[in-house]
Amino acid sequence: MNNLVEATAGDRRHDGRLVLLVVDDDDVLGAELVDQLTAHRIRGHHFPHPAEALLGAGTLQPDAALVAAGLTTMSSTDLVRLLAGRAGIPTVVGIGDDDGPLAAAVLREGATACVRRPYRTDEIIPILRAIRPDSASSLDPPVEIGGLRADPATLEVHLHGRLVALPMKEFRLLYFFMTNADRTVTREQLLSAVWHGPSGDTSNTLTVHIKRLRKRLGLDNGQPPMIVTVRGLGYRFIPPAMTTSAYPPLS
C-alpha cells in the first residue's frame, strides 16, 4: 500500500506519535529515513512526488514536513511556500553538498531549519522536539538492559517482567541512568537532565528521589543496588545483570 492510499485510509494518531511528511524523490534516502525514525516513535510517510505529498498533507495533517532540496518535479522553495506558508506546517529542508545557495531561499520562504542530506537522525530529532515539545519523551526509544526496561512512550518500567510504577521525575531519572549505564554521572548532569538545572533545594531533592528510586528498584535476591554512589563524583548505574558485590555501598 502506498503512502497516498494510507493517507486516504486515515492516519489514526491514537498512539500520540509525531507525524512527519518526508518529501524526497530519492526512494532509498526517503525510505531509509522513515525506517530509522520508527525507532524514535515517529510516524513517517515518504512521498517521492511533491504533488502526492500535498494531497497527503491534507489528510494526514502532519506535525512537520521534511523536504529535500533540489526536487526534480517541483521547486523546493515553492513546496516550502505551500507547506509552511499556506498550510502552516513546520518544514525542514534537507540540503546536500551542492545545495548551499538554496538554504537562504527556503528559509526566506518560511522553512524552520535546514539539515544535511543524506539525513542524520541525531540532527533531525532535536528539531522535531522543538516543533512539538509535548512529544519529546515519546521520541526517545525504549531502553532494555539487565532485565530492566523503560519505555518513554508509555512511561512504564518493567524489572524482570514485573511492572514498577514510577512518578515522572523518577522515571526521567532512571531513563537517564539507563542511557548512561555503567558510567559515572555527576549531580549536575542529573539536575540538568531531570530538573533542567540546579535551583532552590533541587540538590536535596535529587538525593531524596534517588533514595526513593533505589527502594522501588530493590532486588529480592540479595544483589547489590543498581544505583551506587561514587564518592566525590556522583552516581553510577549498574544494570541488574552486571551487579556484583565488588561495588561500593550506598551512602
Side-chain angles (χ1 to χ4, degrees), residues 69-94:
L71 294 170
T72 56
T73 57
M74 177 183 287
S75 164
S76 300
T77 53
D78 287 344
L79 184 56
V80 169
R81 186 184 304 115
L82 292 172
L83 290 172
R86 294 192 181 180
I89 300 171
T91 303
V92 180
V93 178

Side-chain angles (χ1 to χ4, degrees), residues 11 25 42 60 66 76 84 87 90 96 115 118 123 125 147 153 160 168 170 178-179 207 218 227 234 237 247:
D11 185 17
D25 47 18
I42 297 172
L60 291 168
L66 175 63
S76 300
V115 296
E123 293 182 356
I125 295 297
H160 299 307
M168 175 63 76
E170 291 177 33
M178 292 180 68
T179 54
T207 301
I227 303 171
F237 177 80
Y247 288 102

Side-chain angles (χ1 to χ4, degrees), residues 11 19 24 30 34 36 45 47 49 52 56 72-73 106 130 150 160 169 171-172 181 184 196 208 229 235 238:
D11 185 17
V19 177
D24 195 314
V34 167
Q36 292 167 6
H45 294 266
F47 292 89
H49 304 293
E52 288 190 353
T72 56
T73 57
V106 295
H160 299 307
K169 284 290 193 294
F171 178 90
R172 292 176 61 186
T184 297
H196 306 294
V208 172
T229 300
Y235 300 91
I238 312 298

Side-chain angles (χ1 to χ4, degrees), residues 159-164 214-226 240 243:
L159 177 59
H160 299 307
R162 172 176 62 89
L163 179 64
V164 180
R214 283 167 167 163
K215 184 176 181 180
R216 296 182 202 275
L217 298 176
L219 301 175
D220 299 327
N221 56 2
Q223 293 186 50
M226 295 183 221
T243 53

Side-chain angles (χ1 to χ4, degrees), residues 60-234:
L60 291 168
Q61 297 183 344
D63 297 287
L66 175 63
V67 173
L71 294 170
T72 56
T73 57
M74 177 183 287
S75 164
S76 300
T77 53
D78 287 344
L79 184 56
V80 169
R81 186 184 304 115
L82 292 172
L83 290 172
R86 294 192 181 180
I89 300 171
T91 303
V92 180
V93 178
I95 302 292
D97 292 338
D98 300 325
D99 299 322
L102 279 173
V106 295
L107 290 172
R108 284 196 301 268
E109 293 298 337
T112 300
C114 295
V115 296
R116 285 182 292 177
R117 179 177 178 270
Y119 308 109
R120 295 171 57 94
T121 56
D122 59 354
E123 293 182 356
I124 296 172
I125 295 297
I127 297 172
L128 297 182
R129 288 178 188 273
I131 289 173
R132 187 179 157 193
D134 64 294
S135 69
S137 62
S138 68
L139 299 185
D140 293 320
V143 177
E144 185 168 5
I145 46 177
L148 185 66
R149 176 184 171 86
D151 189 339
T154 61
L155 299 179
E156 290 185 345
V157 174
H158 288 85
L159 177 59
H160 299 307
R162 172 176 62 89
L163 179 64
V164 180
L166 296 180
M168 175 63 76
K169 284 290 193 294
E170 291 177 33
F171 178 90
R172 292 176 61 186
L173 190 61
L174 175 62
Y175 190 84
F176 185 81
F177 273 128
M178 292 180 68
T179 54
N180 292 275
D182 208 31
R183 300 176 184 172
T184 297
V185 294
T186 66
R187 296 177 68 87
E188 290 74 21
Q189 287 175 312
L190 292 167
L191 289 170
S192 177
V194 180
W195 284 271
H196 306 294
S199 62
D201 62 348
T202 47
S203 181
N204 182 62
T205 299
L206 174 61
T207 301
V208 172
H209 277 74
I210 287 180
K211 182 178 180 180
R212 291 175 179 170
L213 184 56
R214 283 167 167 163
K215 184 176 181 180
R216 296 182 202 275
L217 298 176
L219 301 175
D220 299 327
N221 56 2
Q223 293 186 50
M226 295 183 221
I227 303 171
V228 298
T229 300
V230 181
R231 296 186 185 280
L233 294 176

